[in-house]
Amino acid sequence: MSVKLPEPSAGECFHCLQPLPADGGYQVTLQQRDYPVCCYGCQAVAQTIAEQGLLHFYQFRDRSNPLNVPLVPEQLQRFEAYDDARLQQQFTRDSTAPGGRETSLSVEGMTCSACAWLIEKHLAPLAGIDKVMVNASSERVTVSWQPEQTKLSTILQHIAELGYRALPFQSASQEQDFKKRRRYFVTRLGVAGLATMQVMMIAVGLYFGMVSDLDDALRQFLWWISLLFATPVLLYSAQPFYLSALRSIQAQRPNMDVPVSLALLSTYLASAYATIINQGEVYFESVCMFTFFLLLGRYLELLARQRAISAAANLIKLLPAVAQRKNSSNQLENVAVADLRANDIVVVAAGSTIPADGKLLHQAAYVNEALMTGESHAVLKQPGEMVLAGSVNQQQIMQLQVTATHQDTVLASIVALQDIALSRKPKWVENAERLAQSFVKQVLIMALVTFLVWTWIEPSEAFWVTIAVLVATCPCALALAAPTAVTGAIHKLNKQGVIVRNADVLTKMASIKTIFVDKTGTLTNGQFELLNHYQHQPSLSLDTLLALTQALEQYSEHPLAQPLKQLTSTQIDIDSVHVVGGCGVSGRWQQQQLRLGSLAWIREWHPNFKPHGASATIFLVSETEVLLELQVGDQLRHGVAEAISTLQSYAIEIVMLTGDRAELAAPIADQLGIKQVYAQCLPADKLARLAERQLQHPVMMIGDGINDGPVLAQADISVSFAQASDLARSAADAVLLRNQFSALIPFYQTALRSQRIMRQNVRWALVYNIAILPVAMLGLITPYIAALGMSASSLLVLLNSLRLYR
């Protein structure tokens, strides 16, 4: 029986009922009719709802309040739906383990490192789990598993058993998830803020004697009013702290929310008891103020974290939902991008966004890669070259052969790199978290000691002094010190075109004294061209000599031969052509034996010959004379000279490691002021040179080729480029998206700045907590003053980290 779907509203997403984007969004086909949806995530979920036969979800849901409409029907919320292979294509990718899959999960309710530890330990023993990385800051779990041994639904179910809600992370729905989290904090913050203002007005009057002439009955009435306002703060606004404290106790790793919860509950209950019996002291304003400032800190942390993780993730939302594909009859058909497969032929109109990675066919084209590199100028792509999903076709219609779709595209890999960076905690962060956890235990012990001592000295003050100790020494600032600085640095680097895979580089950068650099493709563009030529004998015209060179090089596949295959329109036939590996090409023309190749090879015929140019690389000779000298070289990357000079001004030594000959490497080194060059290096030679220097101090390696993979993995910090080989990118700690060597400078400077801010945060947090402890234990501050001091300390740390965003 067919379900009658409601008519779509103009300008509204059919699935989530939110406004459509300015470009109209995407389309989803239900019952052979197209419906508008706002994003790729809504499209995928709507398709799955249809496939599961749950279209009645759209027929009976209440549309009166779009913000409260469920986005997934209850039947589909069962985790088994995520085992569907077609649905998994939207959010999983191949892992490094053979046959494995990898995905990122968004986890609701994760607040601290204890939560992360608990999830990690709970998932690791599962059969088929290859790797689990959990980051509480981004509320993300990256898991790699073997689908034949463990289903994704089993992984989701195991996380649910701990009390967390985990769903596959999709970039298209990230904004909606963030709005939900923000609304979660704003409502609780609003309740706490309103209650704090009301209770503080009463407390100021009571504390400073402004209503001292009132009788006991009126004073108790004001206490009851304070109790009324403080109750929703304790039961609703402070709820996140209780849940976090319970989970950390379950994980046997008490976090800062344990003393927070104890302080809030104890203060409220004691004040409520005093109100009921009309005797003692009340500190309802401390409950409200403490909760308000803690929530404010968490909210600011959420905003800072969102800025750090949204920069690259939002890129996926800009991919088109529909592509034009050639069918078996060579006719164009519109298909969902989700249905594209490798080797499909796709046609992209001028001005349209490329839907998938592919190989350009037929003719050259200009594409704009600003989405990934930040560079707005068009890049010329030749037939056979790769064009990337997310790039914009600039001029004419192009055809491409699909090589990668969905999570396998370069754009998706960039987002995955950022997820990895956010899931790997630098040692500074781990040390700060361990210090905060240790401090929590010490605070609980000192609070107990304080209570016992004050019970002996002044029993009536023992409870409130203990509460002040718990509140004032809460290590919130210490727990925020490192994570906020790291997320700020990652956000800043993303804007500068640098994706960090391993956040440890932020703390290692200051110790780097030597940077090893590859030459071809790193210092240079990696695209050889004819720089100059010199005619040694005028017996033949220059055009004839160039035609001979061109004819011989047609038989060579050496990289240096590529720019010499299109020198002139003159065509000459060469006989008896023979390619000599490592030397060049020989052939016969007009009864003359010719050689085109290296200096050592042509000196077999002309032993006394001296080249005209120091960097000449290729020579054309006959048995009787040297005919032509060609200087083929590689152009330096834009800004590389200035970047090298700047790095050297920081007292960093630059060392070149290259597989090229010394006579090719030396001119580049001289031009850049590099004093130490190791030429003709095999991968093992590069590894040995770098390891030898590592015995003295940490080193950085910058490379882009397959042969640089081992040495990149060995270096303390490794850097590659977005257009580098897959092996180089996967081995690198950081990837320069704009393919400019000059991006290394802001990377270096931001890393140094983030480490300084991290140290400032940790030092301030330690100084505050150590200084305030004896003051609180001596009973010199009240609970509400303690709440102000703790909140000010946390906010100072957050504001200091936010400087990285400027």
Side-chain angles (χ1 to χ4, degrees):
M1 181 176 176
S2 177
V3 175
K4 184 179 180 180
L5 295 178
E7 289 296 319
S9 300
E12 181 181 271
C13 174
F14 180 74
H15 180 68
C16 71
L17 307 181
Q18 300 303 306
L20 293 172
D23 61 0
Y26 308 124
Q27 300 287 326
V28 62
T29 303
L30 305 174
Q31 294 184 342
Q32 300 181 345
R33 179 179 174 182
D34 289 337
Y35 291 86
V37 288
C38 63
C39 65
Y40 196 52
C42 286
Q43 182 193 55
V45 174
Q47 288 174 342
T48 305
I49 289 173
E51 291 168 2
Q52 299 291 327
L54 301 175
L55 286 177
H56 60 274
F57 166 72
Y58 294 115
Q59 186 178 15
F60 298 110
R61 63 178 177 171
D62 179 14
R63 300 168 58 95
S64 60
N65 189 353
L67 292 178
N68 291 328
V69 172
L71 299 183
V72 180
E74 183 178 353
Q75 300 97 314
L76 193 59
Q77 290 177 3
R78 300 189 185 100
F79 298 128
E80 288 78 5
Y82 290 104
D83 293 330
D84 182 80
R86 187 174 181 274
L87 183 59
Q88 283 191 12
Q89 289 179 357
Q90 313 296 325
F91 52 80
T92 67
R93 53 189 174 272
D94 291 332
S95 69
T96 53
R101 299 294 291 172
E102 185 174 278
T103 190
S104 293
L105 305 176
S106 294
V107 181
E108 291 184 9
M110 187 164 44
T111 58
C112 65
S113 59
C115 301
W117 181 88
L118 183 62
I119 293 173
E120 231 172 78
K121 296 300 179 184
H122 196 63
L123 290 183
L126 276 178
I129 296 293
D130 297 324
K131 178 179 63 177
V132 180
M133 292 187 296
V134 187
N135 184 3
S137 295
S138 60
E139 299 180 352
R140 200 82 57 79
V141 176
T142 302
V143 58
S144 175
W145 81 100
Q146 297 293 329
E148 295 180 358
Q149 300 181 42
T150 299
K151 294 182 178 180
L152 180 58
S153 59
T154 304
I155 297 172
L156 298 176
Q157 183 62 45
H158 269 65
I159 296 176
E161 289 172 358
L162 298 175
Y164 304 96
R165 183 172 180 266
L167 292 174
F169 170 76
Q170 289 186 275
S171 301
S173 62
Q174 184 189 41
E175 186 175 345
Q176 184 178 349
D177 294 338
F178 168 65
K179 287 180 178 178
K180 181 180 178 182
R181 292 288 296 161
R182 187 170 62 179
R183 193 161 54 245
Y184 175 85
F185 277 106
V186 166
T187 53
R188 283 164 172 78
L189 194 59
V191 170
L194 288 173
T196 299
M197 287 189 290
Q198 305 305 318
V199 176
M200 280 301 297
M201 285 192 296
I202 297 173
V204 168
L206 292 173
Y207 287 148
F208 294 100
M210 296 178 184
V211 290
S212 57
D213 56 334
L214 297 180
D215 58 24
D216 288 345
L218 187 53
R219 180 173 58 84
Q220 188 184 25
F221 173 74
L222 294 176
W223 283 5
W224 278 104
I225 295 297
S226 298
L227 172 63
L228 179 65
F229 279 110
T231 300
V233 174
L234 183 87
L235 299 180
Y236 177 71
S237 297
Q239 187 184 65
F241 309 130
Y242 310 144
L243 296 176
S244 173
L246 287 173
R247 290 185 181 121
S248 70
I249 293 172
Q250 182 183 5
Q252 298 180 351
R253 292 165 64 92
N255 63 6
M256 64 182 182
D257 288 329
V258 174
V260 165
S261 300
L262 287 174
L264 287 173
L265 291 170
S266 301
T267 304
Y268 176 83
L269 292 174
S271 299
Y273 179 73
T275 300
I276 294 171
I277 67 173
N278 194 24
Q279 184 178 353
E281 298 288 340
V282 297
Y283 285 97
F284 291 118
E285 79 288 342
S286 297
V287 173
C288 298
M289 188 191 309
F290 192 30
T291 303
F292 175 76
F293 281 116
L294 278 174
L295 284 171
L296 181 62
R298 299 281 172 91
Y299 179 64
L300 291 176
E301 183 189 2
L302 173 70
L303 296 180
R305 187 169 63 232
Q306 174 63 20
R307 290 180 66 181
I309 64 178
S310 63
N314 284 337
L315 301 179
I316 299 294
K317 295 170 65 175
L318 300 179
L319 291 181
V322 177
Q324 286 190 312
R325 180 179 65 186
K326 282 192 173 182
N327 57 25
S328 56
S329 303
N330 210 31
Q331 299 295 317
L332 291 180
E333 58 180 0
N334 290 324
V335 297
V337 172
D339 294 332
L340 290 178
R341 297 292 180 268
N343 298 320
D344 283 350
I345 304 300
V346 175
V347 175
V348 183
S352 299
T353 302
I354 298 171
D357 289 357
K359 186 183 297 184
L360 184 61
L361 303 177
H362 305 313
Q363 60 182 347
Y366 282 93
V367 298
N368 187 323
E369 297 179 338
L371 187 63
M372 288 157 291
T373 67
E375 294 296 324
S376 58
H377 64 272
V379 178
L380 178 62
K381 296 289 185 178
Q382 299 292 343
E385 289 187 346
M386 288 293 300
V387 290
L388 305 179
S391 304
V392 178
N393 180 20
Q394 291 287 287
Q395 295 181 354
Q396 67 278 334
I397 293 177
M398 69 161 60
Q399 293 188 37
L400 60 94
Q401 184 178 19
V402 174
T403 58
T405 61
H406 309 308
Q407 297 297 317
D408 297 323
T409 63
V410 171
L411 184 61
S413 71
I414 290 172
V415 177
L417 288 179
Q418 182 177 255
D419 287 341
I420 291 172
L422 289 170
S423 64
R424 291 177 177 171
K425 299 174 185 175
K427 291 180 180 178
W428 261 84
V429 175
E430 293 179 349
N431 293 339
E433 287 179 350
R434 281 196 296 267
L435 188 59
Q437 289 167 3
S438 176
F439 204 88
V440 165
K441 297 174 184 177
Q442 302 300 323
V443 165
L444 294 175
I445 293 172
M446 296 306 294
L448 178 61
V449 171
T450 300
F451 180 77
L452 295 175
V453 171
W454 274 90
T455 301
W456 179 66
I457 297 174
E458 184 66 49
S460 62
E461 296 294 328
F463 181 80
W464 298 115
V465 172
T466 304
I467 293 298
V469 170
L470 285 173
V471 172
T473 57
C474 175
C476 299
L478 191 58
L480 293 172
T484 53
V486 169
T487 53
I490 290 175
H491 168 75
K492 182 74 171 179
L493 290 171
N494 285 348
K495 292 181 67 176
Q496 294 169 337
V498 179
I499 290 291
V500 178
R501 294 183 66 248
N502 183 359
D504 260 331
V505 302
L506 301 175
T507 57
K508 292 179 180 177
M509 190 68 79
S511 61
I512 296 297
K513 303 298 180 187
T514 302
I515 297 180
F516 289 90
V517 293
D518 182 38
K519 182 180 76 69
T520 304
T522 300
L523 296 175
T524 64
N525 290 321
Q527 298 176 348
F528 293 103
E529 58 185 44
L530 181 61
L531 302 179
N532 205 350
H533 56 76
Y534 181 75
Q535 185 176 358
H536 283 271
Q537 296 295 336
S539 55
L540 295 173
S541 68
L542 178 60
D543 189 62
T544 301
L545 294 177
L546 293 176
L548 289 171
T549 301
Q550 177 177 282
L552 287 167
E553 290 291 26
Q554 299 301 321
Y555 297 90
S556 174
E557 296 300 325
H558 195 280
L560 291 178
Q562 303 311 309
L564 303 181
K565 292 184 176 182
Q566 296 180 343
L567 296 176
T568 177
S569 59
T570 304
Q571 300 295 321
I572 292 180
D573 293 329
I574 302 289
D575 301 325
S576 305
V577 177
H578 182 59
V579 178
V580 181
C583 297
V585 185
S586 65
R588 194 168 189 82
W589 176 72
Q590 294 185 355
Q591 308 305 314
Q592 295 185 71
Q593 192 67 30
L594 302 177
R595 278 186 178 182
L596 179 68
S598 66
L599 180 62
W601 194 39
I602 67 106
R603 275 181 173 166
E604 292 179 3
W605 285 356
H606 307 282
N608 299 321
F609 170 71
K610 292 183 179 180
H612 180 267
S615 61
T617 55
I618 298 177
F619 304 88
L620 177 66
V621 302
S622 67
E623 292 179 296
T624 59
E625 57 186 356
V626 177
L627 302 173
L628 185 64
E629 179 178 330
L630 300 115
Q631 297 178 19
V632 178
D634 198 357
Q635 294 289 344
L636 289 176
R637 281 186 181 272
H638 176 71
V640 68
E642 294 81 2
I644 293 291
S645 177
T646 303
L647 290 170
Q648 290 172 335
S649 70
Y650 287 112
I652 295 176
E653 182 182 9
I654 309 297
V655 179
M656 183 188 294
L657 290 179
T658 178
D660 281 351
R661 302 192 305 275
E663 62 266 24
L664 298 180
I668 298 293
D670 292 340
Q671 187 176 351
L672 297 175
I674 299 176
K675 296 180 173 57
Q676 196 165 3
V677 179
Y678 296 105
Q680 294 180 293
C681 290
L682 297 173
D685 300 325
K686 291 185 176 182
L687 201 59
R689 295 288 186 186
L690 186 138
E692 180 183 355
R693 188 63 63 93
Q694 272 183 313
L695 297 175
Q696 304 174 28
H697 51 250
V699 301
M700 179 192 293
M701 175 68 196
I702 308 173
D704 74 313
I706 294 177
N707 61 338
D708 293 324
V711 72
L712 285 169
Q714 173 70 24
D716 297 278
I717 298 178
S718 52
V719 179
S720 190
F721 299 91
Q723 293 180 355
S725 66
D726 291 340
L727 182 60
R729 282 206 314 271
S730 62
D733 295 315
V735 178
L736 308 181
L737 296 182
R738 297 177 183 174
N739 295 294
Q740 293 179 355
F741 195 92
S742 56
L744 194 65
I745 302 304
F747 174 38
Y748 181 81
Q749 293 170 339
T750 300
L752 293 183
R753 189 174 180 218
S754 67
Q755 187 175 21
R756 285 197 303 270
I757 287 179
M758 248 187 283
R759 286 175 174 168
Q760 291 168 2
N761 288 349
V762 172
R763 285 171 183 164
W764 163 252
L766 286 174
V767 167
Y768 166 78
N769 280 281
I770 293 173
I772 201 68
L773 181 59
V775 176
M777 292 180 70
L778 290 172
L780 299 178
I781 57 175
T782 59
Y784 82 89
I785 295 296
L788 281 173
M790 183 283 306
S791 302
S793 174
S794 300
L795 291 175
L796 182 63
V797 164
L798 276 169
L799 292 173
N800 192 38
S801 296
L802 287 173
R803 291 194 298 131
L804 284 165
Y805 289 85
R806 292 187 303 186

